[in-house]
Amino acid sequence: MDFGLSEEHLLIEQSLRGFLAENVPIERVRELREADCPNDRSIWSALAELGFAGVLVPEGQSGSGLSLLDAALAAQALGHGATPSPFLASGIMAPTALAAAGGSAADAWLEGIGSGDLVMGVAVTELFSVREDAGVQQRDGALHGSAMMAIDACNADLLLVAIDSETFAVVKTDAAGPEITRLATVDATRCTSEVVFGGVQPEAVFEDAGEAIRRMLEAGRIALAADVLGACEAMIEQSVAYAKERKQFGRLIGSFQAVKHMCSEMIAELEPARSLLWYSAHSFDAMPDETPLLACHVLAHLSEIGREIASVSTQVHGGIGWTDEQNLHFWFKRIANARHLLGGPEHLRDQAAKLQGFAPAA
């Protein structure tokens, strides 16, 4: 029995990391943070040509038809590069929901997503974290209300919005669509928005879609955990490299026992999470009954150790670790934002307890 990644898996991860290192270095990320939306369509088009826009889109709809494990490895590479892209929404969540829902409209949108010509954002936060005055309702066939923390919505062509746990709608984001305002969060590498619906007519409404919504959240949480893992890898690599070149009192700081312990502890925290992520992603296609629990566990765990690794790696860099010029903060903030994007660790652990019967279901 083989518990590791296959050669094909490693090829996917390594080819994407090589592409990002050459085409989207941190200097490019720094430029994009000043844009109205960091999701540059030229980067997304290049990723689409490599097959990553349609990694979860069936081959019959111009996609690659790969597994969530393949997609998670791509998300890990994007997190390692702190790369701005709509991969979480348009590459993972939207195609998962549309493929599960089915129908001619869904098939047409999947084809657009697979080719990279169509970008779709998602607004689902109200499914697990509701503000008192937020939420989307359908009245007389139109959508009303607002959604917070919509993912990758600013530069999207369509928006998938969850009305409740059993229903989602798809709306255009053109002039007649919803009002989308990018939110100023700590993470400048990811697009999150507030979306206001003032009687917007949806392109389609998918009812009795509870299973599609559940699968979409599971896939999103596993991919987001992979993104955090990649970001943690990048911070550890930078910390070790810095410890090998920075001198203090005439000695490399990496020669001090305290710094050695900080670096080794970060690696020891992260390595077990790697197999948890692989198993969770593998379960999505091979053992779907286990995925609801694993998706909660893996994102909650990566959120917790990600915060610790982000903090310790910054400490290894000393005072320079907190400066804008050093770049380390891009990963620090990406990890911090991911901690709340699809449910915080407290919520996810509560959901896991309910799934296992340790806590009463709502």
Side-chain angles (χ1 to χ4, degrees), residues 239-322:
S239 298
V240 172
Y242 184 74
K244 290 180 177 178
E245 67 179 29
R246 170 65 174 166
K247 288 186 176 179
Q248 190 76 324
F249 308 115
R251 294 173 54 186
L252 292 171
I253 64 170
S255 67
F256 296 121
Q257 198 67 24
V259 176
K260 289 180 182 177
H261 277 169
M262 293 169 81
C263 292
S264 60
E265 284 295 324
M266 286 191 289
I267 295 170
E269 288 275 5
L270 188 63
E271 283 309 303
R274 198 182 304 276
S275 54
L276 174 59
L277 173 67
W278 292 346
Y279 187 74
S280 302
H282 174 69
S283 77
F284 188 84
D285 297 289
M287 303 167 291
D289 290 345
E290 295 189 29
T291 311
L293 180 61
L294 288 166
C296 290
H297 277 314
V298 72
L299 183 54
H301 186 60
L302 261 301
S303 295
E304 296 288 26
I305 65 171
R307 181 171 65 174
E308 181 67 14
I309 289 171
S311 175
V312 173
S313 63
T314 307
Q315 294 170 37
V316 170
H317 284 75
I320 196 175
W322 301 99

Side-chain angles (χ1 to χ4, degrees), residues 324-341:
D324 182 63
E325 291 78 4
Q326 208 282 325
N327 293 329
L328 200 67
H329 64 92
F330 284 105
W331 288 272
F332 189 109
K333 294 170 181 175
R334 191 173 177 107
I335 292 170
N337 189 37
R339 184 179 173 86
H340 303 286
L341 207 55

Side-chain angles (χ1 to χ4, degrees), residues 31-206:
E31 292 174 4
L32 290 171
R33 73 171 176 175
E34 306 298 337
D36 292 336
C37 176
N39 290 343
D40 185 271
R41 291 293 284 259
S42 65
I43 295 175
W44 187 241
S45 295
L47 290 172
E49 289 182 7
L50 296 173
F52 291 104
V55 64
L56 293 183
V57 174
E59 290 181 288
Q61 278 89 36
S62 304
S64 302
L66 298 179
S67 68
L68 189 67
L69 178 55
D70 297 299
L73 296 174
Q76 187 178 337
L78 292 167
H80 183 274
T83 307
S85 82
F87 186 71
L88 180 60
S90 198
I92 299 288
M93 298 180 70
T96 299
L98 292 173
S104 57
D107 288 345
W109 288 323
L110 281 170
E111 189 157 346
I113 291 172
S115 65
D117 296 332
L118 187 69
V119 174
M120 187 175 286
V122 298
V124 298
T125 301
E126 280 66 34
L127 291 175
F128 49 85
S129 178
V130 184
R131 285 196 322 171
E132 186 175 346
D133 57 347
V136 180
Q137 305 85 39
Q138 185 180 14
R139 297 196 298 271
D140 300 326
L143 301 185
H144 301 264
S146 64
M148 294 297 293
M149 299 298 287
I151 303 169
D152 300 327
C154 288
N155 272 353
D157 305 294
L158 294 167
L159 182 67
L160 187 156
V161 53
I163 298 173
D164 55 44
S165 61
E166 297 292 329
T167 310
F168 72 85
V170 175
V171 300
K172 286 185 176 179
T173 58
D174 58 12
E179 179 182 336
I180 300 175
T181 304
R182 188 185 174 199
L183 297 173
T185 67
V186 295
D187 182 12
T189 68
R190 197 182 292 282
C191 172
T192 48
S193 310
E194 178 182 11
V195 185
V196 178
F197 301 86
V200 174
Q201 293 291 331
E203 295 296 302
V205 175
F206 294 84

